[in-house]
Amino acid sequence: MKCLGSLTFKFKQAVNPLAFVCYRFRFTQELHAHLNGSLSEDTLRDLFMENPDLKSDERIKSLISSFLLKSRSLEECFKKFEIAHAVTVTPAAVKRATKDVISDFAADGVAYLELRTTPRSVPGIMSKSEYVQAVVDTIKDVQAFNSSDKFIIVKLLLSINRQESPIEAEENVRKAIEANAAYPDIVVGVDLSGNPKYGDVVRNILPLLTEARKSGLKVVLHCAEIPNENEVEEMLKFNADRLGHGTCVHPSYGGSEKLWRLLLDSKTPLEVCLTSNVKCKTVETYENHHLRHLLQLQHPFAISTDDKGVFSTSLSKEFELAAKTFNLSSLELCNCVAMAINASFASTDEKNELMSKLSAFKIERGLG
Ligand SMILES: CNc1ncnc2c1ncn2[C@@H]1O[C@H](COP(=O)(O)O)[C@@H](O)[C@H]1O
Ligand SMILES: [Zn+2]
């Protein structure tokens, strides 16, 4: 067991040579991770056991045991979030969940983590403000213990769930603006996520995100997880700071030449989540993932996990998968890390620090 400030974690067995060096050097960047989708099975079980109300709830018990079953569709993945939400219903549970997730990423070699989460209230127990405060306080605690050799930079994006009402969306944007004013070094942006089948994003949500952007927040959008020509076009024209997935933009994947050209011209970095896309069946195979086009055309992207708990993955596994599927060399993987640093919402000083960690790794491996 090793200690990272207030975090205690086990170094995992290395899965590949890159992962081994990753955790020793700790220089990778995770830009797309949903807090409740990232809970490990251990954390879920612990939170479940600690809550006496849940222990006697047979429905939750059976849901938990199905959490890690193989998913067959995007719809099934969304059911799994209900399980994580059922165990994070108090500020204490939210703190524990946040701490465990940061610890898991740190143990996997992540130096810079952008977590995102949807502010959630539980009647009579927790308000949305208390939820956000619990996450922010945990990030502050972890960062207070950063040192030169053991550190992780953590930022927070607040999510808007497109399935919720426009009133909820407005409330979440307001929370994000307030939290950014109070913690500008931590709360840096807003994310649009949720089941892509629902919600009138163009009419109800993009105008709110324009307000968020005006107040200085970065904006990221889950974009084109399923085909939707009009919505995707408006999202691409919105000029977000980054886009999640971007699956159905290319004409071969349910998009069109027009959408693909808009994406390429925008140069907006895509957050690429290989395992998530294949397990949700929005992409058929790893070989056919749109990452191959991004690589060919040198469009910027960041390899990410999305929901490491739901999809039983880790950032180092995603790097390994990308390397194996697309035959990437160690140097090319390092270029992926550099792209993610550039696409991140870290400050200039933080980016310089992360780049120097990457350089140290490259020198040690004789890569330049
Ligand atoms: C699989 N691809 C995806 N597409 C769209 N939204 C997703 C997602 N994965 C996760 N979420 C969003 O993140 C929430 C869980 O984390 P938080 O409670 O916010 O921490 C889900 O309820 C969903 O709204
Ligand atoms: Zn996502």
PDB file of all heavy atoms in Angstrom, residues 32 34-37 74 77-78 81 85 116-120 131 159-162 191-196 222 225 245 276 280 306-307 311, ligand 1:
ATOM      1  N   HIS A  32     -12.229  12.650 -19.565  1.00  0.00           N
ATOM      2  CA  HIS A  32     -13.671  12.358 -19.654  1.00  0.00           C
ATOM      3  C   HIS A  32     -14.015  11.212 -18.699  1.00  0.00           C
ATOM      4  O   HIS A  32     -13.957  10.038 -19.055  1.00  0.00           O
ATOM      5  CB  HIS A  32     -14.020  11.981 -21.107  1.00  0.00           C
ATOM      6  CG  HIS A  32     -15.488  11.809 -21.361  1.00  0.00           C
ATOM      7  ND1 HIS A  32     -16.108  12.264 -22.511  1.00  0.00           N
ATOM      8  CD2 HIS A  32     -16.485  11.236 -20.634  1.00  0.00           C
ATOM      9  CE1 HIS A  32     -17.396  11.963 -22.468  1.00  0.00           C
ATOM     10  NE2 HIS A  32     -17.651  11.331 -21.331  1.00  0.00           N
ATOM     11  N   HIS A  34     -16.998  10.322 -15.704  1.00  0.00           N
ATOM     12  CA  HIS A  34     -18.176  10.666 -14.894  1.00  0.00           C
ATOM     13  C   HIS A  34     -17.986  10.069 -13.507  1.00  0.00           C
ATOM     14  O   HIS A  34     -17.716   8.865 -13.381  1.00  0.00           O
ATOM     15  CB  HIS A  34     -19.446  10.067 -15.508  1.00  0.00           C
ATOM     16  CG  HIS A  34     -19.737  10.563 -16.886  1.00  0.00           C
ATOM     17  ND1 HIS A  34     -20.519  11.662 -17.132  1.00  0.00           N
ATOM     18  CD2 HIS A  34     -19.325  10.123 -18.107  1.00  0.00           C
ATOM     19  CE1 HIS A  34     -20.603  11.866 -18.438  1.00  0.00           C
ATOM     20  NE2 HIS A  34     -19.875  10.944 -19.050  1.00  0.00           N
ATOM     21  N   LEU A  35     -18.169  10.885 -12.486  1.00  0.00           N
ATOM     22  CA  LEU A  35     -17.918  10.419 -11.120  1.00  0.00           C
ATOM     23  C   LEU A  35     -18.669   9.114 -10.802  1.00  0.00           C
ATOM     24  O   LEU A  35     -18.053   8.109 -10.436  1.00  0.00           O
ATOM     25  CB  LEU A  35     -18.306  11.520 -10.116  1.00  0.00           C
ATOM     26  CG  LEU A  35     -18.248  11.126  -8.644  1.00  0.00           C
ATOM     27  CD1 LEU A  35     -16.834  10.720  -8.234  1.00  0.00           C
ATOM     28  CD2 LEU A  35     -18.733  12.269  -7.761  1.00  0.00           C
ATOM     29  N   ASN A  36     -19.988   9.126 -10.959  1.00  0.00           N
ATOM     30  CA  ASN A  36     -20.748   7.942 -10.521  1.00  0.00           C
ATOM     31  C   ASN A  36     -20.577   6.738 -11.453  1.00  0.00           C
ATOM     32  O   ASN A  36     -20.760   5.602 -11.016  1.00  0.00           O
ATOM     33  CB  ASN A  36     -22.229   8.288 -10.341  1.00  0.00           C
ATOM     34  CG  ASN A  36     -22.441   9.058  -9.053  1.00  0.00           C
ATOM     35  OD1 ASN A  36     -22.363   8.489  -7.960  1.00  0.00           O
ATOM     36  ND2 ASN A  36     -22.643  10.367  -9.161  1.00  0.00           N
ATOM     37  N   GLY A  37     -20.191   6.981 -12.687  1.00  0.00           N
ATOM     38  CA  GLY A  37     -19.907   5.864 -13.591  1.00  0.00           C
ATOM     39  C   GLY A  37     -18.520   5.288 -13.352  1.00  0.00           C
ATOM     40  O   GLY A  37     -18.167   4.240 -13.883  1.00  0.00           O
ATOM     41  N   LEU A  74     -26.746   0.864 -25.100  1.00  0.00           N
ATOM     42  CA  LEU A  74     -26.598   2.152 -24.419  1.00  0.00           C
ATOM     43  C   LEU A  74     -27.649   2.250 -23.309  1.00  0.00           C
ATOM     44  O   LEU A  74     -27.377   2.730 -22.208  1.00  0.00           O
ATOM     45  CB  LEU A  74     -26.800   3.271 -25.444  1.00  0.00           C
ATOM     46  CG  LEU A  74     -26.406   4.691 -25.070  1.00  0.00           C
ATOM     47  CD1 LEU A  74     -24.932   4.757 -24.687  1.00  0.00           C
ATOM     48  CD2 LEU A  74     -26.666   5.649 -26.222  1.00  0.00           C
ATOM     49  N   CYS A  77     -26.618   0.539 -20.169  1.00  0.00           N
ATOM     50  CA  CYS A  77     -25.599   1.318 -19.444  1.00  0.00           C
ATOM     51  C   CYS A  77     -26.277   2.361 -18.574  1.00  0.00           C
ATOM     52  O   CYS A  77     -25.898   2.582 -17.427  1.00  0.00           O
ATOM     53  CB  CYS A  77     -24.666   2.035 -20.407  1.00  0.00           C
ATOM     54  SG  CYS A  77     -23.728   0.891 -21.375  1.00  0.00           S
ATOM     55  N   PHE A  78     -27.303   3.002 -19.123  1.00  0.00           N
ATOM     56  CA  PHE A  78     -27.964   4.050 -18.345  1.00  0.00           C
ATOM     57  C   PHE A  78     -28.657   3.496 -17.106  1.00  0.00           C
ATOM     58  O   PHE A  78     -28.732   4.171 -16.089  1.00  0.00           O
ATOM     59  CB  PHE A  78     -28.898   4.878 -19.238  1.00  0.00           C
ATOM     60  CG  PHE A  78     -28.123   5.906 -20.005  1.00  0.00           C
ATOM     61  CD1 PHE A  78     -27.665   5.660 -21.278  1.00  0.00           C
ATOM     62  CD2 PHE A  78     -27.766   7.101 -19.409  1.00  0.00           C
ATOM     63  CE1 PHE A  78     -26.891   6.574 -21.963  1.00  0.00           C
ATOM     64  CE2 PHE A  78     -26.989   8.029 -20.068  1.00  0.00           C
ATOM     65  CZ  PHE A  78     -26.555   7.773 -21.352  1.00  0.00           C
ATOM     66  N   PHE A  81     -26.303   3.442 -14.075  1.00  0.00           N
ATOM     67  CA  PHE A  81     -26.041   4.656 -13.296  1.00  0.00           C
ATOM     68  C   PHE A  81     -27.000   4.773 -12.109  1.00  0.00           C
ATOM     69  O   PHE A  81     -26.662   5.335 -11.081  1.00  0.00           O
ATOM     70  CB  PHE A  81     -26.133   5.907 -14.179  1.00  0.00           C
ATOM     71  CG  PHE A  81     -25.149   5.886 -15.310  1.00  0.00           C
ATOM     72  CD1 PHE A  81     -25.553   6.021 -16.618  1.00  0.00           C
ATOM     73  CD2 PHE A  81     -23.796   5.711 -15.057  1.00  0.00           C
ATOM     74  CE1 PHE A  81     -24.644   5.968 -17.660  1.00  0.00           C
ATOM     75  CE2 PHE A  81     -22.875   5.662 -16.090  1.00  0.00           C
ATOM     76  CZ  PHE A  81     -23.302   5.789 -17.396  1.00  0.00           C
ATOM     77  N   HIS A  85     -26.109   5.823  -8.313  1.00  0.00           N
ATOM     78  CA  HIS A  85     -26.830   6.940  -7.678  1.00  0.00           C
ATOM     79  C   HIS A  85     -27.504   6.500  -6.375  1.00  0.00           C
ATOM     80  O   HIS A  85     -27.614   7.269  -5.431  1.00  0.00           O
ATOM     81  CB  HIS A  85     -27.868   7.523  -8.645  1.00  0.00           C
ATOM     82  CG  HIS A  85     -27.242   8.263  -9.790  1.00  0.00           C
ATOM     83  ND1 HIS A  85     -27.872   8.471 -10.987  1.00  0.00           N
ATOM     84  CD2 HIS A  85     -26.026   8.840  -9.908  1.00  0.00           C
ATOM     85  CE1 HIS A  85     -27.074   9.152 -11.799  1.00  0.00           C
ATOM     86  NE2 HIS A  85     -25.945   9.384 -11.163  1.00  0.00           N
ATOM     87  N   ARG A 116     -16.263  14.789 -13.940  1.00  0.00           N
ATOM     88  CA  ARG A 116     -17.508  15.525 -14.192  1.00  0.00           C
ATOM     89  C   ARG A 116     -18.626  14.829 -13.432  1.00  0.00           C
ATOM     90  O   ARG A 116     -18.600  13.605 -13.268  1.00  0.00           O
ATOM     91  CB  ARG A 116     -17.807  15.611 -15.692  1.00  0.00           C
ATOM     92  CG  ARG A 116     -17.841  14.293 -16.398  1.00  0.00           C
ATOM     93  CD  ARG A 116     -17.999  14.438 -17.901  1.00  0.00           C
ATOM     94  NE  ARG A 116     -16.778  14.812 -18.569  1.00  0.00           N
ATOM     95  CZ  ARG A 116     -16.672  15.108 -19.862  1.00  0.00           C
ATOM     96  NH1 ARG A 116     -17.746  15.084 -20.628  1.00  0.00           N
ATOM     97  NH2 ARG A 116     -15.529  15.430 -20.418  1.00  0.00           N
ATOM     98  N   THR A 117     -19.555  15.611 -12.951  1.00  0.00           N
ATOM     99  CA  THR A 117     -20.689  14.987 -12.244  1.00  0.00           C
ATOM    100  C   THR A 117     -21.910  15.885 -12.298  1.00  0.00           C
ATOM    101  O   THR A 117     -21.798  17.113 -12.390  1.00  0.00           O
ATOM    102  CB  THR A 117     -20.320  14.638 -10.792  1.00  0.00           C
ATOM    103  OG1 THR A 117     -21.281  13.717 -10.277  1.00  0.00           O
ATOM    104  CG2 THR A 117     -20.262  15.868  -9.883  1.00  0.00           C
ATOM    105  N   THR A 118     -23.076  15.257 -12.214  1.00  0.00           N
ATOM    106  CA  THR A 118     -24.348  15.984 -12.274  1.00  0.00           C
ATOM    107  C   THR A 118     -24.789  16.336 -10.858  1.00  0.00           C
ATOM    108  O   THR A 118     -25.015  15.419 -10.047  1.00  0.00           O
ATOM    109  CB  THR A 118     -25.439  15.076 -12.912  1.00  0.00           C
ATOM    110  OG1 THR A 118     -24.858  14.303 -13.960  1.00  0.00           O
ATOM    111  CG2 THR A 118     -26.596  15.882 -13.439  1.00  0.00           C
ATOM    112  N   PRO A 119     -24.923  17.620 -10.517  1.00  0.00           N
ATOM    113  CA  PRO A 119     -25.411  17.973  -9.178  1.00  0.00           C
ATOM    114  C   PRO A 119     -26.754  17.293  -8.919  1.00  0.00           C
ATOM    115  O   PRO A 119     -27.635  17.310  -9.777  1.00  0.00           O
ATOM    116  CB  PRO A 119     -25.564  19.501  -9.240  1.00  0.00           C
ATOM    117  CG  PRO A 119     -24.631  19.926 -10.327  1.00  0.00           C
ATOM    118  CD  PRO A 119     -24.632  18.802 -11.327  1.00  0.00           C
ATOM    119  N   ARG A 120     -26.849  16.656  -7.749  1.00  0.00           N
ATOM    120  CA  ARG A 120     -28.047  15.842  -7.467  1.00  0.00           C
ATOM    121  C   ARG A 120     -28.535  16.129  -6.062  1.00  0.00           C
ATOM    122  O   ARG A 120     -27.742  16.216  -5.129  1.00  0.00           O
ATOM    123  CB  ARG A 120     -27.677  14.360  -7.623  1.00  0.00           C
ATOM    124  CG  ARG A 120     -28.806  13.374  -7.470  1.00  0.00           C
ATOM    125  CD  ARG A 120     -28.462  12.058  -8.172  1.00  0.00           C
ATOM    126  NE  ARG A 120     -27.071  11.684  -8.054  1.00  0.00           N
ATOM    127  CZ  ARG A 120     -26.575  10.940  -7.080  1.00  0.00           C
ATOM    128  NH1 ARG A 120     -27.353  10.465  -6.133  1.00  0.00           N
ATOM    129  NH2 ARG A 120     -25.289  10.649  -7.049  1.00  0.00           N
ATOM    130  N   TYR A 131     -24.177  18.576  -2.459  1.00  0.00           N
ATOM    131  CA  TYR A 131     -23.548  17.556  -3.321  1.00  0.00           C
ATOM    132  C   TYR A 131     -22.266  18.135  -3.941  1.00  0.00           C
ATOM    133  O   TYR A 131     -21.185  17.537  -3.857  1.00  0.00           O
ATOM    134  CB  TYR A 131     -24.537  17.142  -4.419  1.00  0.00           C
ATOM    135  CG  TYR A 131     -24.006  16.090  -5.369  1.00  0.00           C
ATOM    136  CD1 TYR A 131     -24.267  14.738  -5.172  1.00  0.00           C
ATOM    137  CD2 TYR A 131     -23.244  16.450  -6.491  1.00  0.00           C
ATOM    138  CE1 TYR A 131     -23.778  13.770  -6.042  1.00  0.00           C
ATOM    139  CE2 TYR A 131     -22.749  15.487  -7.368  1.00  0.00           C
ATOM    140  CZ  TYR A 131     -23.026  14.162  -7.140  1.00  0.00           C
ATOM    141  OH  TYR A 131     -22.528  13.205  -8.007  1.00  0.00           O
ATOM    142  N   SER A 159     -22.187  18.647 -14.694  1.00  0.00           N
ATOM    143  CA  SER A 159     -22.931  18.152 -15.857  1.00  0.00           C
ATOM    144  C   SER A 159     -24.391  18.582 -15.826  1.00  0.00           C
ATOM    145  O   SER A 159     -24.991  18.734 -14.766  1.00  0.00           O
ATOM    146  CB  SER A 159     -22.897  16.619 -15.898  1.00  0.00           C
ATOM    147  OG  SER A 159     -21.585  16.152 -15.945  1.00  0.00           O
ATOM    148  N   ILE A 160     -24.915  18.697 -17.040  1.00  0.00           N
ATOM    149  CA  ILE A 160     -26.349  18.895 -17.224  1.00  0.00           C
ATOM    150  C   ILE A 160     -26.853  17.626 -17.888  1.00  0.00           C
ATOM    151  O   ILE A 160     -26.308  17.225 -18.919  1.00  0.00           O
ATOM    152  CB  ILE A 160     -26.604  20.096 -18.147  1.00  0.00           C
ATOM    153  CG1 ILE A 160     -26.187  21.363 -17.420  1.00  0.00           C
ATOM    154  CG2 ILE A 160     -28.056  20.192 -18.593  1.00  0.00           C
ATOM    155  CD1 ILE A 160     -25.519  22.332 -18.307  1.00  0.00           C
ATOM    156  N   ASN A 161     -27.845  17.001 -17.271  1.00  0.00           N
ATOM    157  CA  ASN A 161     -28.405  15.773 -17.847  1.00  0.00           C
ATOM    158  C   ASN A 161     -29.525  16.159 -18.807  1.00  0.00           C
ATOM    159  O   ASN A 161     -30.540  16.719 -18.393  1.00  0.00           O
ATOM    160  CB  ASN A 161     -28.935  14.886 -16.707  1.00  0.00           C
ATOM    161  CG  ASN A 161     -29.448  13.561 -17.215  1.00  0.00           C
ATOM    162  OD1 ASN A 161     -29.737  13.402 -18.403  1.00  0.00           O
ATOM    163  ND2 ASN A 161     -29.553  12.605 -16.310  1.00  0.00           N
ATOM    164  N   ARG A 162     -29.344  15.855 -20.086  1.00  0.00           N
ATOM    165  CA  ARG A 162     -30.297  16.297 -21.107  1.00  0.00           C
ATOM    166  C   ARG A 162     -31.687  15.693 -20.916  1.00  0.00           C
ATOM    167  O   ARG A 162     -32.665  16.182 -21.486  1.00  0.00           O
ATOM    168  CB  ARG A 162     -29.755  15.981 -22.495  1.00  0.00           C
ATOM    169  CG  ARG A 162     -29.368  14.526 -22.703  1.00  0.00           C
ATOM    170  CD  ARG A 162     -28.739  14.301 -24.071  1.00  0.00           C
ATOM    171  NE  ARG A 162     -29.707  14.523 -25.117  1.00  0.00           N
ATOM    172  CZ  ARG A 162     -29.395  14.784 -26.379  1.00  0.00           C
ATOM    173  NH1 ARG A 162     -28.130  14.862 -26.748  1.00  0.00           N
ATOM    174  NH2 ARG A 162     -30.341  14.968 -27.281  1.00  0.00           N
ATOM    175  N   ASP A 191     -20.612  20.325 -18.577  1.00  0.00           N
ATOM    176  CA  ASP A 191     -20.674  19.211 -19.527  1.00  0.00           C
ATOM    177  C   ASP A 191     -22.138  18.934 -19.826  1.00  0.00           C
ATOM    178  O   ASP A 191     -22.977  18.992 -18.930  1.00  0.00           O
ATOM    179  CB  ASP A 191     -20.027  17.983 -18.845  1.00  0.00           C
ATOM    180  CG  ASP A 191     -20.538  16.654 -19.370  1.00  0.00           C
ATOM    181  OD1 ASP A 191     -20.345  16.399 -20.568  1.00  0.00           O
ATOM    182  OD2 ASP A 191     -21.099  15.856 -18.577  1.00  0.00           O
ATOM    183  N   LEU A 192     -22.429  18.640 -21.082  1.00  0.00           N
ATOM    184  CA  LEU A 192     -23.778  18.180 -21.408  1.00  0.00           C
ATOM    185  C   LEU A 192     -23.719  16.675 -21.632  1.00  0.00           C
ATOM    186  O   LEU A 192     -22.961  16.205 -22.489  1.00  0.00           O
ATOM    187  CB  LEU A 192     -24.287  18.855 -22.683  1.00  0.00           C
ATOM    188  CG  LEU A 192     -25.591  18.244 -23.195  1.00  0.00           C
ATOM    189  CD1 LEU A 192     -26.763  18.614 -22.302  1.00  0.00           C
ATOM    190  CD2 LEU A 192     -25.866  18.649 -24.622  1.00  0.00           C
ATOM    191  N   SER A 193     -24.485  15.927 -20.821  1.00  0.00           N
ATOM    192  CA  SER A 193     -24.470  14.470 -20.978  1.00  0.00           C
ATOM    193  C   SER A 193     -25.877  13.923 -20.791  1.00  0.00           C
ATOM    194  O   SER A 193     -26.858  14.671 -20.860  1.00  0.00           O
ATOM    195  CB  SER A 193     -23.466  13.837 -20.006  1.00  0.00           C
ATOM    196  OG  SER A 193     -23.619  14.340 -18.701  1.00  0.00           O
ATOM    197  N   GLY A 194     -25.992  12.629 -20.535  1.00  0.00           N
ATOM    198  CA  GLY A 194     -27.311  12.002 -20.388  1.00  0.00           C
ATOM    199  C   GLY A 194     -27.679  11.215 -21.643  1.00  0.00           C
ATOM    200  O   GLY A 194     -26.987  11.287 -22.665  1.00  0.00           O
ATOM    201  N   ASN A 195     -28.768  10.473 -21.526  1.00  0.00           N
ATOM    202  CA  ASN A 195     -29.207   9.603 -22.624  1.00  0.00           C
ATOM    203  C   ASN A 195     -29.495  10.436 -23.885  1.00  0.00           C
ATOM    204  O   ASN A 195     -30.390  11.289 -23.882  1.00  0.00           O
ATOM    205  CB  ASN A 195     -30.466   8.855 -22.170  1.00  0.00           C
ATOM    206  CG  ASN A 195     -30.807   7.727 -23.109  1.00  0.00           C
ATOM    207  OD1 ASN A 195     -30.578   7.813 -24.312  1.00  0.00           O
ATOM    208  ND2 ASN A 195     -31.359   6.659 -22.561  1.00  0.00           N
ATOM    209  N   PRO A 196     -28.764  10.163 -24.963  1.00  0.00           N
ATOM    210  CA  PRO A 196     -28.883  11.005 -26.172  1.00  0.00           C
ATOM    211  C   PRO A 196     -30.234  10.907 -26.877  1.00  0.00           C
ATOM    212  O   PRO A 196     -30.515  11.704 -27.782  1.00  0.00           O
ATOM    213  CB  PRO A 196     -27.758  10.480 -27.082  1.00  0.00           C
ATOM    214  CG  PRO A 196     -27.456   9.105 -26.600  1.00  0.00           C
ATOM    215  CD  PRO A 196     -27.759   9.097 -25.123  1.00  0.00           C
ATOM    216  N   HIS A 222     -21.415  16.049 -24.911  1.00  0.00           N
ATOM    217  CA  HIS A 222     -21.514  14.699 -25.463  1.00  0.00           C
ATOM    218  C   HIS A 222     -22.189  14.881 -26.819  1.00  0.00           C
ATOM    219  O   HIS A 222     -23.303  15.417 -26.875  1.00  0.00           O
ATOM    220  CB  HIS A 222     -22.369  13.807 -24.576  1.00  0.00           C
ATOM    221  CG  HIS A 222     -21.636  13.239 -23.418  1.00  0.00           C
ATOM    222  ND1 HIS A 222     -21.115  14.027 -22.428  1.00  0.00           N
ATOM    223  CD2 HIS A 222     -21.305  11.961 -23.105  1.00  0.00           C
ATOM    224  CE1 HIS A 222     -20.508  13.236 -21.541  1.00  0.00           C
ATOM    225  NE2 HIS A 222     -20.600  11.992 -21.932  1.00  0.00           N
ATOM    226  N   GLU A 225     -23.561  10.561 -30.101  1.00  0.00           N
ATOM    227  CA  GLU A 225     -23.476   9.153 -29.676  1.00  0.00           C
ATOM    228  C   GLU A 225     -24.415   8.295 -30.517  1.00  0.00           C
ATOM    229  O   GLU A 225     -24.192   7.110 -30.701  1.00  0.00           O
ATOM    230  CB  GLU A 225     -23.833   9.013 -28.196  1.00  0.00           C
ATOM    231  CG  GLU A 225     -22.664   9.334 -27.277  1.00  0.00           C
ATOM    232  CD  GLU A 225     -23.010   9.083 -25.827  1.00  0.00           C
ATOM    233  OE1 GLU A 225     -23.610   9.988 -25.203  1.00  0.00           O
ATOM    234  OE2 GLU A 225     -22.689   8.004 -25.317  1.00  0.00           O
ATOM    235  N   HIS A 245     -17.078  11.791 -27.467  1.00  0.00           N
ATOM    236  CA  HIS A 245     -17.394  10.712 -28.417  1.00  0.00           C
ATOM    237  C   HIS A 245     -17.333  11.139 -29.891  1.00  0.00           C
ATOM    238  O   HIS A 245     -16.462  10.721 -30.617  1.00  0.00           O
ATOM    239  CB  HIS A 245     -18.749  10.063 -28.109  1.00  0.00           C
ATOM    240  CG  HIS A 245     -18.848   9.580 -26.690  1.00  0.00           C
ATOM    241  ND1 HIS A 245     -18.058   8.562 -26.201  1.00  0.00           N
ATOM    242  CD2 HIS A 245     -19.625   9.983 -25.639  1.00  0.00           C
ATOM    243  CE1 HIS A 245     -18.348   8.357 -24.934  1.00  0.00           C
ATOM    244  NE2 HIS A 245     -19.287   9.218 -24.552  1.00  0.00           N
ATOM    245  N   SER A 276     -16.048   2.115 -23.820  1.00  0.00           N
ATOM    246  CA  SER A 276     -17.419   2.580 -23.608  1.00  0.00           C
ATOM    247  C   SER A 276     -18.218   2.458 -24.900  1.00  0.00           C
ATOM    248  O   SER A 276     -19.330   1.922 -24.918  1.00  0.00           O
ATOM    249  CB  SER A 276     -17.384   4.034 -23.129  1.00  0.00           C
ATOM    250  OG  SER A 276     -18.623   4.647 -23.309  1.00  0.00           O
ATOM    251  N   CYS A 280     -21.243  -0.202 -25.321  1.00  0.00           N
ATOM    252  CA  CYS A 280     -22.606   0.351 -25.494  1.00  0.00           C
ATOM    253  C   CYS A 280     -23.147   0.057 -26.885  1.00  0.00           C
ATOM    254  O   CYS A 280     -24.270   0.432 -27.199  1.00  0.00           O
ATOM    255  CB  CYS A 280     -22.607   1.863 -25.309  1.00  0.00           C
ATOM    256  SG  CYS A 280     -22.403   2.370 -23.636  1.00  0.00           S
ATOM    257  N   ASP A 306     -14.522   7.398 -19.776  1.00  0.00           N
ATOM    258  CA  ASP A 306     -15.976   7.623 -19.681  1.00  0.00           C
ATOM    259  C   ASP A 306     -16.505   7.149 -18.321  1.00  0.00           C
ATOM    260  O   ASP A 306     -16.763   7.980 -17.453  1.00  0.00           O
ATOM    261  CB  ASP A 306     -16.719   6.910 -20.819  1.00  0.00           C
ATOM    262  CG  ASP A 306     -18.040   7.572 -21.161  1.00  0.00           C
ATOM    263  OD1 ASP A 306     -18.321   8.636 -20.615  1.00  0.00           O
ATOM    264  OD2 ASP A 306     -18.789   7.017 -21.998  1.00  0.00           O
ATOM    265  N   ASP A 307     -16.680   5.833 -18.139  1.00  0.00           N
ATOM    266  CA  ASP A 307     -17.250   5.288 -16.893  1.00  0.00           C
ATOM    267  C   ASP A 307     -16.462   4.025 -16.557  1.00  0.00           C
ATOM    268  O   ASP A 307     -16.884   2.911 -16.913  1.00  0.00           O
ATOM    269  CB  ASP A 307     -18.722   4.921 -17.126  1.00  0.00           C
ATOM    270  CG  ASP A 307     -19.559   6.123 -17.543  1.00  0.00           C
ATOM    271  OD1 ASP A 307     -19.842   6.974 -16.689  1.00  0.00           O
ATOM    272  OD2 ASP A 307     -19.911   6.219 -18.729  1.00  0.00           O
ATOM    273  N   PHE A 311     -17.767   0.099 -17.229  1.00  0.00           N
ATOM    274  CA  PHE A 311     -17.185  -0.628 -18.364  1.00  0.00           C
ATOM    275  C   PHE A 311     -15.948  -1.447 -17.980  1.00  0.00           C
ATOM    276  O   PHE A 311     -15.252  -1.942 -18.859  1.00  0.00           O
ATOM    277  CB  PHE A 311     -16.849   0.359 -19.493  1.00  0.00           C
ATOM    278  CG  PHE A 311     -18.047   1.148 -19.959  1.00  0.00           C
ATOM    279  CD1 PHE A 311     -18.081   2.538 -19.894  1.00  0.00           C
ATOM    280  CD2 PHE A 311     -19.174   0.488 -20.432  1.00  0.00           C
ATOM    281  CE1 PHE A 311     -19.198   3.252 -20.294  1.00  0.00           C
ATOM    282  CE2 PHE A 311     -20.289   1.194 -20.838  1.00  0.00           C
ATOM    283  CZ  PHE A 311     -20.308   2.579 -20.770  1.00  0.00           C
TER     284      PHE A 311
HETATM  285  C1  LIG B   1     -22.086   5.917 -21.911  1.00  0.00           C
HETATM  286  N1  LIG B   1     -22.052   7.264 -22.386  1.00  0.00           N
HETATM  287  C2  LIG B   1     -22.650   8.325 -21.770  1.00  0.00           C
HETATM  288  N2  LIG B   1     -23.377   9.172 -22.531  1.00  0.00           N
HETATM  289  C3  LIG B   1     -24.063  10.182 -21.964  1.00  0.00           C
HETATM  290  N3  LIG B   1     -24.064  10.452 -20.643  1.00  0.00           N
HETATM  291  C4  LIG B   1     -23.352   9.638 -19.842  1.00  0.00           C
HETATM  292  C5  LIG B   1     -22.594   8.559 -20.357  1.00  0.00           C
HETATM  293  N4  LIG B   1     -21.968   7.975 -19.326  1.00  0.00           N
HETATM  294  C6  LIG B   1     -22.335   8.659 -18.199  1.00  0.00           C
HETATM  295  N5  LIG B   1     -23.190   9.643 -18.512  1.00  0.00           N
HETATM  296  C7  LIG B   1     -23.855  10.608 -17.592  1.00  0.00           C
HETATM  297  O1  LIG B   1     -23.178  10.570 -16.339  1.00  0.00           O
HETATM  298  C8  LIG B   1     -24.095  10.231 -15.266  1.00  0.00           C
HETATM  299  C9  LIG B   1     -23.387   9.414 -14.203  1.00  0.00           C
HETATM  300  O2  LIG B   1     -22.413  10.200 -13.527  1.00  0.00           O
HETATM  301  P1  LIG B   1     -22.752  11.397 -12.521  1.00  0.00           P
HETATM  302  O3  LIG B   1     -23.950  11.004 -11.713  1.00  0.00           O
HETATM  303  O4  LIG B   1     -23.014  12.625 -13.350  1.00  0.00           O
HETATM  304  O5  LIG B   1     -21.513  11.513 -11.685  1.00  0.00           O
HETATM  305  C10 LIG B   1     -25.192   9.448 -15.984  1.00  0.00           C
HETATM  306  O6  LIG B   1     -26.400   9.480 -15.245  1.00  0.00           O
HETATM  307  C11 LIG B   1     -25.301  10.177 -17.335  1.00  0.00           C
HETATM  308  O7  LIG B   1     -26.113  11.333 -17.211  1.00  0.00           O
END
